[in-house]
Each structure stands twice: as C-alpha cells, then as structure tokens.
Amino acid sequence: MAAAGIASLVLLLSASAIVLSIKDGQIVSQCDYPGIVAVVIPDNGAIICNGVRSKGILYVPELCGAAIGDILTKFPLVLVYGDGTKNLTIPVNSTGTFADGIFQMPITEPMDPDCNSEATLFDSSMDISNNSCELAGYGAEQLAGKIYDGTLKAAPLTKSTSVQCCKVIFNSLTKSQQGVILNKQAPLNCVASSGAGCGLGDLGAPVYCRNSAGEPVVVGLAASFPCENEGTFVIYDLTKSDSGFKFGISA
Ligand SMILES: *[C@@H]1O[C@H](CO)[C@@H](O)[C@H](O)[C@H]1NC(C)=O
Ligand SMILES: *[C@@H]1O[C@H](CO)[C@@H](O)[C@H](O)[C@H]1NC(C)=O
Ligand SMILES: *[C@@H]1O[C@H](CO)[C@@H](O)[C@H](O)[C@H]1NC(C)=O
C-alpha cells in the first residue's frame, strides 16, 4: 500500500504542475470550518493534503495517508490548523490505520483550542440541510501552488449521489473525475460543485454540511479534483454510506 501510494502521489505531483486552489471558491475563515487542517512538509511548506481532525484523530484520504507514512520514515511533517498560524509536528515514525479509503492517525500532542475547534463528523442521527454543503481546501494559486499560504477557499456543492448510486455511475466517470482510489471497495459519494477542486493542493479537502442546528459537520474528503465547474468528482464518504446524503439529482 505505501509503495503504491507514494508512487501514485509522485505521479500526481508531476502531473499537476499547475496546482490551483478551489476554483471559483470564496476565500473564507478557518473559524467557520472547524477541524480543517493542512499536512505540510516543514522544509518548503508544500501541502501534502487537506484533512480534518476530530477527537484527537487526523482523517485524510488513503493516498495521502500512504504518502504521509512513507515520508514519516524519513522526516517529520507539520500539521497546520486553527486560524492558519498554528501548527504542530507529526513526529517521525508516527503510524495510523487505513479503513474504507480513509487514513486515521492519532495526534498525541495536544492542540491549542481556538476558533477552529475539532471537527464534528456526520452521524446518522443528524439531519443535513442539502443546500448547505461546501467543499473547503487550502490549495494555492501559483505554480509554486502546493506551498501552504494560509488561504482557505470554499465552494458550494450542488449535487450529491448516495454511495450506492456512485458505485453504479463510477465507471462512466472520466479518469480525472475518478481520481486515484487505492481501495476499490472504499465507499464514495459522487458530487458536483459550482466551483471545483483543482490539483493536488485540494486532495482531502473536506465537505462540510450544516445539520438542523446549523452546525458544520464533515461528510467526506475530496478524492478527485478534475477542475471542472459542475463536473462530477468523488469524495471519500464519512457518513457510513448514509443513503440520505443525496441531493440535486434530477432522476
Ligand atoms: C509553524 O509555526 C511556527 C511558529 O509559529 C512558524 O514559525 C512556522 O512558520 C510554522 N510552519 C508552518 C509550516 O506553518
Ligand atoms: C524510525 O523507524 C526506523 C525503522 O524502524 C528506525 O530505523 C528509526 O531509528 C526510527 N526513527 C525514530 C526517530 O524513531
Ligand atoms: C435531501 O434531499 C433528499 C433527496 O432529495 C431528500 O430525500 C431529503 O429529505 C433531503 N433532506 C433535507 C434535510 O432536506
């Protein structure tokens, strides 16, 4: 897994020379997206991926997890969080686990509480407002764009299919819409946005929806970033395949 993951990531890094942040996204405050983090290479500030932390656990896509695991055998990484100025070191040889396309790693060093508290992950007792979902990520604008610059952007989701339906349509998606999914069994939602994830800087960009209490809850992490407005892309599902996470579909 680690070898395949790092090879795929290197491929992506070289393929996505032009790394954009969320295309047509609005610049937003980290404080409105609780628990959002960027995993960054300390030497040069390059973004490995986006993710969330919830209850002391870092959640990132499997591809990112494989790369993190590989890098951590050689040097430490930095987790940037909060208002974008805070960070902590992920020590060499820290380990995590893979399940359902998501890599989870306990973060032992405590984080400063601030406006950006831990993420709340979706659970089936929650009612989600379908028109409230947004993709949020830290990709940067320039060619040197994998460099973390603290700018967070968000764009609304306009469609989502359930995991069941995404399985059915997945093979009809283009390669860039499909992304690189290492675990073919991983539950995915097929979604669309008026903006788009563009380039590696948006890998793992979390999708937040509001529950009936108006609180942001995380329902998935971007797995592909085809850079097309209203184009379909896939997110690793964090709703435990809840069949209600579907909206905006005409059929
Ligand atoms: C991490 O925090 C330190 C201290 O505030 C800062 O000097 C450094 O630039 C930060 N690193 C990143 C990658 O944000
Ligand atoms: C990390 O693990 C490798 C291989 O097991 C070991 O050689 C190395 O000393 C470890 N590094 C640290 C800082 O623990
Ligand atoms: C979300 O959309 C689905 C499909 O249209 C619908 O069944 C569900 O009730 C909607 N949920 C809310 C909270 O509006």
Side-chain angles (χ1 to χ4, degrees):
M1 162 68 97
I6 194 75
S8 310
L9 191 70
V10 168
L11 203 77
L12 278 174
L13 277 163
S14 50
S16 50
I18 298 170
V19 177
L20 300 166
S21 59
I22 289 175
K23 188 179 165 209
D24 296 328
Q26 299 282 319
I27 294 177
V28 295
S29 163
Q30 286 84 355
C31 300
D32 295 328
Y33 301 83
I36 193 163
V37 298
V39 180
V40 163
I41 295 180
D43 276 2
N44 59 8
I47 299 175
I48 302 288
C49 65
N50 303 260
V52 293
R53 66 177 156 120
S54 180
K55 297 184 176 157
I57 310 270
L58 169 67
Y59 294 80
V60 295
E62 57 183 2
L63 181 59
C64 183
I68 289 175
D70 189 78
I71 291 168
L72 286 177
T73 64
K74 303 182 193 86
F75 54 86
L77 285 165
V78 169
L79 192 63
V80 187
Y81 68 100
D83 62 5
T85 62
K86 297 188 176 179
N87 65 64
L88 58 74
T89 299
I90 308 176
V92 164
N93 290 350
S94 303
T95 55
T97 53
F98 291 90
D100 289 341
I102 305 276
F103 178 75
Q104 300 185 20
M105 177 183 264
I107 299 295
T108 46
E109 187 181 331
M111 291 170 153
D112 289 343
D114 65 5
C115 75
N116 180 316
S117 56
E118 306 254 341
T120 302
L121 302 186
F122 175 89
D123 78 61
S124 57
S125 71
M126 293 174 184
D127 226 350
I128 295 296
S129 316
N130 288 337
N131 60 3
S132 71
C133 301
E134 290 176 284
L135 175 71
Y138 275 114
E141 293 286 359
Q142 299 86 19
L143 193 60
K146 294 178 285 275
I147 304 306
Y148 175 82
D149 67 358
T151 310
L152 181 65
K153 283 190 169 181
L157 287 203
T158 51
K159 285 180 196 152
S160 172
T161 60
S162 65
V163 168
Q164 282 309 320
C165 178
C166 192
K167 258 184 209 146
V168 174
I169 68 171
F170 186 81
N171 286 335
S172 67
L173 303 180
T174 65
K175 282 229 155 25
S176 68
Q177 290 173 338
Q178 289 180 347
V180 178
I181 309 295
L182 303 177
N183 171 4
K184 302 295 180 212
Q185 307 308 315
L188 301 167
N189 290 104
C190 296
V191 300
S193 166
S194 57
C198 281
L200 195 69
D202 288 329
L203 174 62
V207 170
Y208 287 84
C209 304
R210 305 253 161 197
N211 65 16
S212 48
E215 296 153 346
V217 301
V218 176
V219 299
L221 299 174
S224 68
F225 25 83
C227 212
E228 339 164 294
N229 298 68
E230 292 301 343
T232 301
F233 60 102
V234 295
I235 63 174
Y236 290 108
D237 175 79
L238 282 171
T239 70
K240 300 193 169 63
S241 303
D242 193 284
S243 55
F245 186 58
K246 57 168 195 262
F247 54 87
I249 318 152
S250 48

